[in-house]
Amino acid sequence: MSELKPPSFVSAQMVADRAGVSRSAVSRTFTDGASVSEATRRKVLEAADALGYHVNHLARGLRERSNIVCLVVADMTTPIRARMVDVLTRKLQASGKITMVINTETDTESVSAALRQTLNYRADATVVLSGTPPASLIETCISNGQQVILINRDERLQGSSSLGVDNAMAGREALFLLRRAGCERLGLITSNARTASLVEREAVFVEAAAAEGLQVVVTEAGPTSYESGQEAARRVFGRSEAPDGVFCVTDLLALGFMDVARRDFGLAIPDDLCVVGFDDIEQAGWASYQLTTFRQPLNPMADEVVDLLLQPQRAVSERRMIEPIPVWRRSVRPGKR
Amino acid sequence: MSELKPPSFVSAQMVADRAGVSRSAVSRTFTDGASVSEATRRKVLEAADALGYHVNHLARGLRERSNIVCLVVADMTTPIRARMVDVLTRKLQASGKITMVINTETDTESVSAALRQTLNYRADATVVLSGTPPASLIETCISNGQQVILINRDERLQGSSSLGVDNAMAGREALFLLRRAGCERLGLITSNARTASLVEREAVFVEAAAAEGLQVVVTEAGPTSYESGQEAARRVFGRSEAPDGVFCVTDLLALGFMDVARRDFGLAIPDDLCVVGFDDIEQAGWASYQLTTFRQPLNPMADEVVDLLLQPQRAVSERRMIEPIPVWRRSVRPGKR
DNA sequence: AAAGCGATTGCACACAAGTGCATTTCTTCG
DNA sequence: CGAAGAAATGCACTTGTGTGCAATCGCTTT
């Protein structure tokens, strides 16, 4: 039989009609702790099943929390970002939230538009993985009762809680590793993204080197990518004085850098050149690279996010710092040559 | 105990009060084509701005389409999946939709739970990238007026529209490439995922080889991953009769396979061994691999999805096939040795 | 000035839920 | 058998929108 009515979602009213009870009874059947007799509950569940009823979370979200969390993210295809999104969606789901992903550019205008979307959908919280939203907009979010959590972003934005890895530690430790390997001519490879995190890793590394009386040649190629790493290597080894120890502020940069150093300039790693990365993306562990790097502990970070969500009062202006975990592989010599 | 009013979202009513107009006027101000005088519109916009008002899309979604699209996906960290999610979220956003990501396992029970979530949030459509939902649940979605679009899934699920790359073409072409390179002892590497797509690539490759009187040694390692590719290589080259031409049904498998073949068994690619992959993930183009493979045309696929969303009537039980694009790199010889 | 007419505006309802409160039903005990 | 108490139920209101319908406003025309 062909239906006249266009298909549409089945509501609690329809279930109530079919079960011969009031709509309230249906509502209570699907609400924990509400008072419903076993008999009605059975009738309701049966009718709901027959009609294919599903509670409308949108309508529910009108009165109480929506249970929606927005993830504002750029460069999703980057391995580290993909993992972040993966881990976060998993943990958020496990704690009863649903994730909306807003794929954006990193410029302020795009991020602002993303934040506004976040408000449009009454998200309980927004987690920002990329870009830096304007303070005024964050304030709007917060005055609307929405939490804002920044990950690896510029710290100290009034009212938002923020969360990041200890870049300074990585910068110092990277220098230590390269020096222990006996590297004398140090290089640093970074991208033009100029993120707070990247800048800090660079600054601390350069500073720590200066403290030992060493100068660092800093090379900034294009965006944070494999190709930029390649480009940086071409530039670095095209010069007269080539480095023998390099800290790449990102694994992707490191991998591109290594490939060109080895293939185009015939350098052996770690014999002629030591390389340290940051992130510990999957590819860093591949046999072709075996990159020594610092792991962003994504699971603990995601746990922290969930924790902040569950205790909103904790969240105000708090800044949590997480230690990256050194991962020793073969791109740095264990001792001097 | 004097409770401060908890911060909450500002509603159209508040804006109306402040602007001294009716709530309808506010609603009309934010509705295209509605009739509002320039004067009230200005007053409303001013009040809205002052209060930080944002239209509640949840409430809007009660009456009309929610503009929510759910993406059901597993293995998000896999480069190909990450790119799919990236491209899809981008294109969906561009056409005014918002994406909810449901990160799931591939087993039927998890996928079913994901589909139910989809219904709970009144998504206009669900796009399934992983796993195979039970037909009954798809039917429920459709009878609720929700579109279901399956990508690279088992075809022919009543009522859903489905979309996939031409695996048969890839299987045939892979054989052609290897034969042209003069490979005599053929191997095929697959995972234990047993997806329809993977199975088809395998079947067609084996069949095409049989048509030329050649037998293919099929190796199935663990899940679809780099590590499984490594494992497969260890097994394959541990045997007496090693292949000189291999089709890996996935780039990730291919990369792991290549690394072990070269590093642990000293094989030169493409001189001693030719390798063909599938997907064209970013890493396939890296200098260390230069893998010849087939690109999944993600942009056209995403365009197709958006197209199906905008023309729901088209969507019923349609199956669209997209040709993968051969990408010739250096893992296969251009001619016989 | 009155009528005509189109552009605005507000009322009230619909959408789909949860819940306080009053009412009804059931259970249990005296 | 009746009353007290507990459990179950339904009514009506709430959440924030969009919109049909009727009323009103302002302007033009005769």
Side-chain angles (χ1 to χ4, degrees):
Chain A
M1 271 305 174
S2 62
E3 300 157 54
L4 299 176
K5 209 176 53 178
S8 84
F9 288 96
V10 6
S11 71
Q13 186 60 63
M14 302 185 203
V15 177
D17 291 347
R18 176 165 178 137
V21 299
S22 79
R23 199 187 54 72
S24 307
V26 179
S27 188
R28 286 192 235 273
T29 300
F30 292 99
T31 308
D32 278 354
S35 170
V36 209
S37 75
E38 196 47 43
T40 27
R41 156 176 247 105
R42 250 207 354 270
K43 280 193 290 183
V44 167
L45 287 178
E46 195 176 309
D49 201 51
L51 295 175
Y53 170 71
H54 293 254
V55 176
N56 186 336
H57 283 25
L58 264 44
R60 170 184 283 172
L62 277 187
R63 311 188 81 253
E64 40 212 84
R65 319 208 76 195
S66 65
N67 284 330
I68 296 175
V69 173
C70 282
L71 232 56
V72 176
V73 58
D75 297 328
M76 274 191 67
T77 57
T78 287
I80 188 70
R81 283 277 154 62
R83 294 215 46 189
M84 278 185 173
V85 174
D86 177 57
V87 172
L88 275 169
T89 50
R90 278 213 143 69
K91 301 247 177 192
L92 287 172
Q93 265 170 235
S95 71
K97 307 284 183 188
I98 183 96
T99 312
M100 277 186 169
V101 171
I102 305 186
N103 195 340
T104 179
E105 306 297 323
T106 52
D107 63 297
T108 306
E109 190 39 58
S110 304
V111 174
S112 296
L115 266 267
R116 260 167 285 169
Q117 276 272 39
T118 267
L119 290 168
N120 282 331
Y121 280 98
R122 295 306 189 254
D124 294 346
T126 298
V127 180
V128 180
L129 297 181
S130 309
T132 306
S136 64
L137 204 45
I138 291 191
E139 205 155 313
T140 302
C141 289
I142 289 165
S143 75
N144 277 349
Q146 187 178 77
Q147 280 185 62
V148 180
I149 301 177
L150 307 177
I151 299 193
N152 283 342
R153 306 290 86 211
D154 248 331
E155 51 211 83
R156 298 274 145 254
L157 272 165
Q158 268 309 334
S160 66
S161 35
S162 105
L163 177 62
V165 292
D166 186 347
N167 295 297
M169 177 278 217
R172 279 190 304 271
E173 185 73 10
L175 182 77
F176 171 77
L177 287 176
L178 293 177
R179 292 292 291 152
R180 190 179 61 179
C183 300
E184 298 287 345
R185 304 182 306 284
L186 299 176
L188 181 133
I189 311 296
T190 187
S191 78
N192 62 12
R194 308 266 84 197
T195 303
S197 305
L198 302 188
V199 169
E200 191 179 7
R201 283 172 218 160
E202 169 183 341
V204 171
F205 182 79
V206 169
E207 203 174 296
E212 297 196 22
L214 291 170
Q215 248 206 317
V216 176
V217 179
V218 175
T219 307
E220 175 185 314
T224 312
S225 67
Y226 174 87
E227 284 76 16
S228 296
Q230 292 187 301
E231 170 60 22
R234 280 186 214 107
R235 268 195 247 161
V236 162
F237 296 112
R239 294 194 206 109
S240 53
E241 184 86 333
D244 61 352
V246 167
F247 177 33
C248 300
V249 294
T250 268
D251 279 359
L252 265 190
L253 288 171
L255 302 184
F257 190 86
M258 289 171 78
D259 271 344
V260 165
R262 285 192 291 212
R263 294 195 141 56
D264 297 356
F265 293 93
L267 297 169
I269 298 173
D271 303 321
D272 307 326
L273 172 72
C274 293
V275 180
V276 178
F278 190 97
D279 280 346
D280 193 33
I281 61 179
E282 199 203 332
Q283 290 75 20
W286 286 5
S288 287
Y289 301 102
Q290 287 294 318
L291 176 65
T292 290
T293 186
F294 298 91
R295 174 177 307 156
Q296 294 210 47
L298 299 182
N299 274 303
M301 287 166 78
D303 286 335
E304 190 63 29
V305 168
V306 170
D307 198 59
L308 284 169
L309 288 184
L310 298 181
Q311 315 181 21
Q313 69 286 359
R314 249 197 68 199
V316 183
S317 281
E318 185 170 339
R319 169 145 182 98
R320 277 272 289 159
M321 179 88 89
I322 296 191
E323 294 286 294
I325 301 160
V327 179
W328 295 286
R329 296 207 183 88
R330 306 229 183 78
S331 66
V332 176
R333 288 184 297 272
K336 294 194 200 292
R337 186 151 37 163
Chain B
M1 48 181 198
S2 64
E3 266 181 51
L4 279 174
K5 203 181 67 179
S8 82
F9 289 95
V10 4
S11 70
Q13 185 61 64
M14 303 185 201
V15 177
D17 291 348
R18 175 163 179 138
V21 299
S22 79
R23 198 187 53 72
S24 308
V26 178
S27 186
R28 292 199 169 94
T29 299
F30 291 99
T31 309
D32 278 353
S35 167
V36 208
S37 75
E38 196 48 41
T40 30
R41 154 176 248 103
R42 251 207 354 271
K43 280 192 290 182
V44 167
L45 287 178
E46 195 177 309
D49 200 52
L51 294 175
Y53 170 70
H54 292 255
V55 177
N56 187 335
H57 283 26
L58 263 44
R60 173 185 280 173
L62 278 187
R63 312 190 78 254
E64 40 213 82
R65 319 210 76 195
S66 64
N67 283 331
I68 296 174
V69 174
C70 281
L71 232 55
V72 176
V73 57
D75 297 328
M76 274 189 66
T77 57
T78 287
I80 187 70
R81 282 278 154 62
R83 294 216 43 190
M84 278 184 173
V85 174
D86 178 57
V87 172
L88 274 169
T89 50
R90 279 213 142 70
K91 301 248 177 192
L92 287 172
Q93 265 170 234
S95 70
K97 307 286 182 184
I98 184 95
T99 312
M100 276 187 168
V101 171
I102 305 187
N103 195 340
T104 179
E105 306 296 322
T106 52
D107 64 296
T108 306
E109 190 38 58
S110 303
V111 174
S112 296
L115 268 265
R116 261 170 266 142
Q117 277 271 40
T118 267
L119 290 168
N120 282 331
Y121 280 97
R122 297 304 190 253
D124 293 346
T126 298
V127 180
V128 180
L129 297 181
S130 309
T132 306
S136 64
L137 204 44
I138 291 191
E139 205 154 313
T140 302
C141 289
I142 289 166
S143 76
N144 276 351
Q146 187 180 76
Q147 281 184 63
V148 179
I149 301 177
L150 307 176
I151 298 193
N152 283 342
R153 305 291 85 211
D154 247 333
E155 51 211 83
R156 300 274 144 251
L157 272 165
Q158 267 309 332
S160 64
S161 35
S162 104
L163 177 62
V165 292
D166 187 348
N167 295 297
M169 178 278 218
R172 277 191 304 270
E173 186 74 8
L175 182 77
F176 172 77
L177 288 174
L178 293 177
R179 291 294 289 154
R180 191 179 61 179
C183 300
E184 298 288 343
R185 303 181 307 284
L186 300 175
L188 182 133
I189 311 296
T190 187
S191 78
N192 62 12
R194 308 266 83 200
T195 304
S197 304
L198 303 188
V199 169
E200 191 179 6
R201 283 172 218 160
E202 170 185 338
V204 171
F205 182 79
V206 170
E207 202 175 299
E212 296 197 21
L214 291 170
Q215 249 205 316
V216 176
V217 179
V218 175
T219 307
E220 176 185 314
T224 311
S225 69
Y226 174 87
E227 285 76 16
S228 296
Q230 292 187 300
E231 170 61 22
R234 282 186 213 105
R235 268 195 245 161
V236 162
F237 296 111
R239 294 195 205 111
S240 54
E241 185 86 333
D244 61 353
V246 167
F247 178 34
C248 299
V249 295
T250 267
D251 279 359
L252 265 189
L253 290 171
L255 302 183
F257 189 87
M258 289 170 78
D259 271 344
V260 165
R262 285 192 289 213
R263 294 194 141 58
D264 298 356
F265 293 93
L267 296 169
I269 297 174
D271 303 322
D272 305 327
L273 172 71
C274 293
V275 180
V276 178
F278 191 97
D279 279 346
D280 193 32
I281 61 178
E282 198 202 332
Q283 289 76 19
W286 286 5
S288 287
Y289 300 103
Q290 288 292 319
L291 176 65
T292 290
T293 186
F294 298 89
R295 174 177 306 156
Q296 294 209 47
L298 299 182
N299 273 303
M301 287 166 78
D303 286 336
E304 189 64 28
V305 168
V306 170
D307 198 58
L308 284 168
L309 289 184
L310 298 182
Q311 314 181 19
Q313 69 285 359
R314 249 198 67 198
V316 183
S317 281
E318 186 169 338
R319 170 144 182 98
R320 277 272 288 160
M321 178 89 89
I322 295 191
E323 294 285 296
I325 300 161
V327 180
W328 294 286
R329 297 207 183 87
R330 305 229 184 76
S331 66
V332 176
R333 289 184 298 273
K336 295 194 198 291
R337 184 153 40 164

